Amino acid sequence: MTKILLIVYTLVTSVAYTSLVVYFSTQASGLSMSYIGAILLAATALVAVGREKISGVDTNKKIKEKTDEIDALKELLKQNQAMLHSVKPNVIHNVINVSGADEFLSTMKGLATFHNESLVINNIDLGSDLDGGEYLDILKVKVKAK
């Protein structure tokens, strides 16, 4: 639909612009060449601006669709982070209270060893704008590299 509108707009503006040129070339209306040039230049600018506005309609629709998709993904990420946040206390409770003390200590020792040996964790600034997803991506890369 936008392409048809663009074709019709181009046809109408081309006829109007050609009519202006013919009128100014045949009718010596007493206007100086500088005024005629300014009028034709303004008409050219109006044609260009109109074409740009019409062709921008499809682009704006695509941008809005992508923005809506990004917003939906951000909402899904927030829901997943909230779910993980709510699961974490249950996991910690099970490790501490349900499992034995030996298993808890071995888990803590494994985590401490992992943190000490991990170059990614030791060289990352957690105070930066790095979120949990990017941190997990870095850890995935580390695991795949082994």
Side-chain angles (χ1 to χ4, degrees):
M1 182 66 183
T2 304
K3 289 184 180 187
I4 293 173
L5 184 61
L6 196 58
I7 291 169
V8 170
Y9 179 80
T10 303
L11 176 71
V12 170
T13 54
S14 296
V15 169
Y17 186 78
T18 305
S19 300
L20 265 175
V21 170
V22 168
Y23 174 76
F24 285 133
S25 64
T26 59
Q27 303 289 332
S29 60
L31 290 174
S32 70
M33 283 302 268
S34 60
Y35 288 132
I36 293 172
I39 291 170
L40 290 177
L41 191 63
T44 304
L46 287 175
V47 169
V49 167
R51 285 181 55 86
E52 189 66 31
K53 290 288 185 185
I54 292 172
S55 63
V57 169
D58 284 340
T59 304
N60 290 339
K61 285 180 185 176
K62 289 177 184 176
I63 288 173
K64 184 176 177 350
E65 289 173 3
K66 292 297 181 183
T67 303
D68 292 342
E69 185 179 338
I70 289 170
D71 290 340
L73 289 172
K74 283 181 180 178
E75 185 63 33
L76 181 63
L77 179 65
K78 284 181 183 177
Q79 289 173 355
N80 287 342
Q81 286 175 340
M83 181 201 53
L84 288 173
H85 184 69
S86 68
V87 167
K88 186 170 67 172
N90 290 334
V91 171
I92 292 172
H93 169 73
N94 286 336
V95 169
I96 293 174
N97 296 324
V98 176
S99 302
D102 293 334
E103 187 176 342
F104 174 69
L105 289 175
S106 65
T107 303
M108 293 303 291
K109 181 179 177 185
L111 282 174
T113 303
F114 175 72
H115 285 297
N116 286 335
E117 292 176 354
S118 174
L119 295 175
V120 174
I121 292 173
N122 290 327
N123 293 322
I124 197 166
D125 180 16
L126 295 176
S128 67
D129 292 337
L130 191 67
D131 67 358
E134 292 169 343
Y135 178 71
L136 291 176
D137 289 340
I138 291 171
L139 289 178
K140 268 196 284 187
V141 168
K142 181 182 182 271
V143 168
K144 287 180 182 178
K146 283 187 175 182

